[in-house]
Structures are given as structure tokens and as C-alpha cells.
Amino acid sequence: MEAPAAPRDPAEPSETPQTPQAPVSPASPAPYELAESASGVAITVTSPEQMRELGRRLATVLRAGDLVMLSGELGAGKTTLTRGLGEGLGVRGAVTSPTFVIARVHPSLGDGPPLVHVDAYRLSGGLDEMEDLDLDVSLSDSVIVVEWGEGKVEELTDDRLRLRIDRAVGDTTDEVRYVTLMGVGERWAAADLSVLTV
């Protein structure tokens, strides 16, 4: 007999992304569909270019001091979204996966914040292992995006934006992605993420 599930605190955000019910219509004026869900805001993206556009729009919401945590399986689109984010922030240098260098800093070409792009995939420890990256020093004047950061960078700040990217499971060429955004902390309590579809 299966044991009953442990009760969940209603104030605690759910980890399971909620996918929108209606498919994106080709005639839709918005590049993707946004829906409110219990775990945050859910967006359906149907192509890599739309994922980049989502990153560009996300840049309009971010400011210096923001920590963005990206999760999703390999090939889900984390780096593609970050590439668009870099374009939206107007930073120097091509945004590519920093897997082998762990972190890349992209200085601003204008008066905006620099982008620090971190890939924590190969880091097995928590914040202690990441101290050499000086992320805590960079955080106040940068936008920091960390791929695979769960359980590793949460101690940097009480405020963070979590993005989870899910795709169809199995051997498929389907490019549809389900992106769930969930703000944590006071910084994101009143943030209007609906601007991502304007």
C-alpha cells in the first residue's frame, strides 16, 4: 500500500510547472502564450527564436542585483534564452554556454548592468565551491544568470527569479518549450511579469 503524501505548506511554491491548456495559434499576435499558474507564470514557446525573444523581453524586467536561476534538461533552451537576455541588456560578446569556463562576464555596451553567465553543471558543491567565482561581489552591480544552480546559489540572496524550461520527453524534434517563471522574495512579490508578452 502506498503511503499518503506529506502535507504541503500552502505558502510554499510548487516545484511542478503548470503548462498552459490552449496551444499557441499561428495567427496569435503574441510570440508565445502566457498563463497564470499556481507556481508562477507559464509561457509556451514554439521555436528557438521565440526563446531568444523571451530573453530580450525578460531583460526589460531585470536590473542590477538580480539573480536568475535557469533549470531544464540539456538542450531545453537555457543558453538560447540567455543569449536573448544579453541582447536585451546590450552587453558585449557572444553569449555561449560557459560549461568549460564556469562563468563569463559580459560588460555592458551602455549604462546598463553587466551580465554574468554561470554554468554550475560541473560544480557538485554548494556556495562554498562557487566562492572563487566571487558571485556575491558581482551581484550588487550585475545581472547574474546561473544555469543548473539549484542547491548551489540560493544563499547569495533572498530574492531570485527561477525559470524552468520543460520540453516533450522522448525522441522528438518538437521545439515547443514550457517556461515557468517564479519569483522568490520581496523583489519579485509585486513584479509584473505580464510585460513579457507585450
Side-chain angles (χ1 to χ4, degrees):
M1 185 166 91
E2 188 175 334
R8 189 176 66 83
D9 181 353
E12 181 182 320
S14 169
E15 293 290 333
T16 307
Q18 304 292 318
T19 55
Q21 298 298 315
V24 175
S25 166
S28 174
Y32 34 72
E33 180 175 307
L34 177 142
E36 296 292 334
S37 75
S39 61
V41 174
I43 299 173
T44 301
V45 177
T46 61
S47 71
E49 180 47 45
Q50 288 182 3
M51 187 68 78
R52 268 177 98 159
E53 176 60 21
L54 177 58
R56 287 189 285 265
R57 291 178 187 271
L58 181 58
T60 67
V61 177
L62 298 176
R63 63 187 186 208
D66 283 341
L67 172 65
V68 179
M69 296 171 55
L70 300 180
S71 64
E73 63 187 73
L74 289 169
K78 297 181 295 295
T79 300
T80 301
L81 183 135
T82 306
R83 188 171 296 125
L85 181 57
E87 292 167 2
L89 290 174
V91 299
R92 187 174 70 220
V95 174
T96 59
S97 177
T99 299
F100 298 106
V101 296
I102 308 298
R104 282 197 176 93
V105 178
H106 298 274
S108 175
L109 292 171
D111 57 359
L115 170 65
V116 179
H117 184 200
V118 180
D119 187 331
Y121 183 74
R122 295 186 302 130
L123 301 178
S124 58
L127 194 58
D128 290 343
E129 189 175 356
M130 301 189 75
E131 280 183 353
D132 289 342
L133 300 177
D134 288 332
L135 294 183
D136 53 339
V137 173
S138 303
L139 183 59
S140 63
D141 62 358
S142 306
V143 168
I144 297 182
V145 175
V146 182
E147 298 184 26
W148 306 99
E150 295 81 4
K152 300 174 185 175
V153 298
E154 287 90 341
E155 294 175 39
L156 283 173
T157 176
D158 292 334
D159 301 303
R160 55 194 170 273
L161 181 63
R162 297 173 49 199
L163 276 84
R164 177 167 182 81
I165 305 173
D166 292 290
R167 64 177 181 176
V169 179
D171 185 18
T172 178
T173 57
D174 189 352
E175 293 186 340
V176 173
R177 301 290 188 265
Y178 304 104
V179 182
T180 303
L181 299 91
M182 184 171 60
V184 176
E186 186 178 340
R187 155 75 174 102
W188 296 102
D192 182 12
L193 297 177
S194 68
V195 300
L196 297 176
T197 59
V198 173

